[in-house]
Amino acid sequence: MVGFTQPPCEANIIRAIPAFDAALPQRRKRLTLVATIFGSSMALVDGSVVNIALPAIQHALQAGVAATQWIVNAYLLLLSAMVLVGGAAADLYGRRRIFVFGITIFTMASITCGLSPNITVLIASRAIQGVGAALLIPASLALLGATFDEHERNHAIGVWAGVGALTAAVGPVLGGWLVDQVSWRAIFLLNLPLAAVATGLASSFAGESRNDNAKSLDWAGAATVAAGLAAISWGLGAIPASGFSDRTVIGALGLGFVLFLLFLAMEVRLGARAMMPLSLYGSRSFSAANVLTLLLYFALGGALYYLPFGLIRLGGYSATQAGAALLPFAVIMGFGAQFAGRLSDRFGPQQSLTFGPVIAGCGLALLAFADFRQSYWAGAFPAICVFGIGMTITVPPLTSMVMSSVGDAHAGVASGVNNAVARVAGLFAVAALGAVLFASFSYHLAGSPRAEANEALNAILAGQAGITEAATAAFERALSTVLQVAALCSLLGGILFRLWIRPIGSQAAR
């Protein structure tokens, strides 16, 4: 999951899966639904509470800025690169089998995360968690789609989405409470009871299903794109310590770009068997929707990664308070979707996909200039609400556009690709905005050598004692710059979509 909300198009993936030929008993269907809810909740809770716990983790393990970023990026990297392979594996080897296998990997990695003695073990464990999530998330969606027929799916999706909204709302507060009252390690061990319920119910009640026409797994493509994303993320993360002109940084960014081009060439050669068929981008609407997804979820991922540091280090919030501060965003996102859908139906998706990102960008701009030291209700709260409203207006029509832009035959693949784009956006946001944070911090901490500025920024983010007022002021300005860049990306997404897409319903829009 991305940040505190589910990525777009997950409901589309459910709808694209053919149901069992023979109807299952209602009891088995209900318990399968419960299993998929518990399974997907593991990844959603993990994605939200880790962001809240990052300041505590950095302080406890004495990690630097770049290492702390990899706590999130290692997970997103493997999830982004392998989620399409995970969906194909579920079709090929059995959706229930891959679902249980993914939960097992995710749970074992969660235990290792909770027991990690140092930052290196934690990052490696988070990468393995990403592999588990890449298997269990698409398998849970496919399992849900195979269990319920077309007449029952809307209700099942509504229950699944409603519980997801509740989980997104409660997760950050519960995670913050665990960090404050128990330990940051407890947030990973929280996955164990969820995994036990999901595995037990799926093994006992879920039916097994496969796709007889499933394509072979594109391991070469997954490995290539993973290596490319890793190189780019590492290069961006190394800029604060080494500088943009450093040979290793340039080499890493160049290698990542070359590997990405190689990945595209491999996908062209595989054609319809590719994990990301490039023929989908022949649709103007699909291309525009993915560009908007990339920019919007870049803004979302970056804001929700760095905002807890601002609330905790500048505003003096506890982890529980920081989690509660983001509660309005999760509530608006979770329970405003139906209203946003009706709004899109009335005025057209083009209006929602233009003005939604603009409103979200305005919320981020307000957040950039909010004073976290003043009352929450006068400072962060209005900005978070505006941001949540903008995201809520955007996401439902975005999922609908992806589905309609390529036709029913390719809706599942297109939705999976859009899902992966959202996760890649979050990956790049953490790394790229980390470089922005350091550049702005160094600029405002005038006269300090790069090494000293990097050390001072690490000290602030880790909550160490003895921070100077000048360093705190520089961090406040740097965080404002990061949020301004996020706001600009969101605004740019809405503007580009408006310029790119032609009137909805015209042949040219497809």
Side-chain angles (χ1 to χ4, degrees):
M1 305 299 171
V2 180
F4 296 83
T5 181
Q6 294 169 328
C9 292
E10 290 195 331
N12 286 356
I13 296 174
I14 296 172
R15 292 190 176 95
I17 301 297
F20 287 118
D21 293 333
L24 296 174
Q26 286 300 318
R27 181 169 178 266
R28 289 187 64 180
K29 290 183 178 183
R30 288 194 296 268
L31 292 174
T32 299
L33 174 60
V34 174
T36 60
I37 286 172
F38 273 90
S40 58
S41 293
M42 289 173 57
L44 181 57
V45 169
D46 193 83
S48 62
V49 300
V50 168
N51 282 16
I52 295 296
L54 284 174
I57 295 173
Q58 184 169 3
H59 177 76
L61 299 183
Q62 295 298 301
V65 176
T68 304
Q69 290 174 1
W70 277 102
I71 296 172
V72 172
N73 279 353
Y75 175 81
L76 286 177
L77 172 64
L78 273 298
L79 174 57
S80 303
M82 292 192 61
V83 69
L84 296 177
V85 171
D91 289 340
L92 188 64
Y93 297 114
R95 287 143 185 167
R96 183 183 64 188
R97 176 180 298 175
I98 295 299
F99 178 65
V100 173
F101 184 50
I103 289 177
T104 302
I105 295 175
F106 193 92
T107 305
M108 298 303 295
S110 297
I111 295 172
T112 310
C113 285
L115 302 178
S116 296
N118 54 54
I119 191 68
T120 303
V121 175
L122 178 58
I123 291 172
S125 301
R126 286 285 287 165
I128 298 172
Q129 264 194 325
V131 175
L135 296 174
L136 80 87
I137 291 173
S140 70
L141 301 176
L143 193 60
L144 191 58
T147 302
F148 294 90
D149 61 34
E150 295 180 1
H151 303 292
E152 300 171 313
R153 280 182 183 172
N154 286 338
H155 175 71
I157 290 171
V159 173
W160 169 80
V163 175
L166 182 62
T167 302
V170 173
V173 182
L174 175 60
W177 182 84
L178 288 173
V179 171
D180 287 334
Q181 303 300 324
V182 184
S183 168
W184 62 266
R185 299 178 184 276
I187 67 171
F188 296 108
L189 302 180
L190 181 65
N191 291 323
L192 272 62
L194 298 176
V197 174
T199 303
L201 291 176
S203 300
S204 301
F205 299 102
E208 184 61 284
S209 64
R210 295 178 176 83
N211 181 355
D212 294 333
N213 298 317
K215 57 189 177 183
S216 59
L217 303 184
D218 185 8
W219 288 114
T224 303
V225 75
L229 293 173
I232 293 173
S233 300
W234 186 90
L236 292 171
I239 289 175
S242 304
F244 186 79
S245 59
D246 183 79
R247 290 184 179 180
T248 56
V249 171
I250 295 174
L253 295 176
L255 176 63
F257 181 71
V258 170
L259 287 172
F260 183 69
L261 292 179
L262 177 61
F263 167 71
L264 294 179
M266 294 169 65
E267 299 304 279
V268 169
R269 182 175 59 84
L270 289 174
R273 295 181 293 112
M275 60 183 282
M276 188 182 74
L278 298 183
S279 59
L280 295 174
Y281 290 93
S283 165
R284 188 185 186 95
S285 296
F286 182 75
S287 299
N290 278 284
V291 170
L292 174 57
T293 299
L294 185 68
L295 290 168
L296 184 67
Y297 277 79
F298 181 97
L300 174 69
L304 295 184
Y305 178 90
Y306 289 102
L307 182 57
F309 284 101
L311 295 173
I312 293 171
R313 299 303 181 217
L314 296 175
Y317 288 50
S318 66
T320 307
Q321 291 171 329
L326 294 166
L327 188 58
F329 179 86
V331 170
I332 292 170
M333 281 291 299
F335 298 102
Q338 288 188 347
F339 173 76
R342 289 196 296 268
L343 196 68
S344 175
D345 290 340
R346 180 174 180 180
F347 297 103
Q350 187 174 10
Q351 303 300 323
S352 295
L353 294 176
T354 299
F355 293 106
V358 171
I359 293 171
C362 291
L364 287 172
L366 291 173
L367 206 54
F369 296 102
D371 185 355
F372 296 136
R373 297 181 183 85
Q374 70 179 102
S375 166
Y376 167 74
W377 303 106
F381 175 73
I384 289 173
C385 287
V386 174
F387 181 36
I389 290 169
M391 287 294 300
T392 304
I393 291 173
T394 307
V395 173
L398 181 60
T399 62
S400 299
M401 168 158 281
V402 171
M403 177 72 88
S404 63
S405 63
V406 295
D408 293 341
H410 300 96
V413 176
S415 298
V417 170
N418 186 256
N419 241 321
V421 168
R423 293 183 168 99
V424 169
L427 171 68
F428 283 157
V430 173
L433 292 179
V436 172
L437 182 75
F438 177 78
S440 179
F441 180 81
S442 300
Y443 175 79
H444 290 105
L445 197 67
S448 296
R450 175 180 296 276
E452 289 184 13
N454 193 36
E455 184 178 346
L457 182 57
N458 282 327
I460 291 173
L461 294 178
Q464 297 176 9
I467 305 299
T468 65
E469 290 185 8
T472 301
F475 173 67
E476 186 171 14
R477 293 175 181 175
L479 181 62
S480 176
T481 302
V482 165
L483 293 172
Q484 289 176 55
V485 172
L488 180 62
C489 287
S490 185
L491 291 167
L492 185 62
I495 293 169
L496 284 179
F497 182 86
R498 186 73 175 190
L499 296 175
W500 191 326
I501 201 68
R502 296 179 187 177
I504 303 298
S506 70
Q507 289 288 10
R510 292 187 174 274

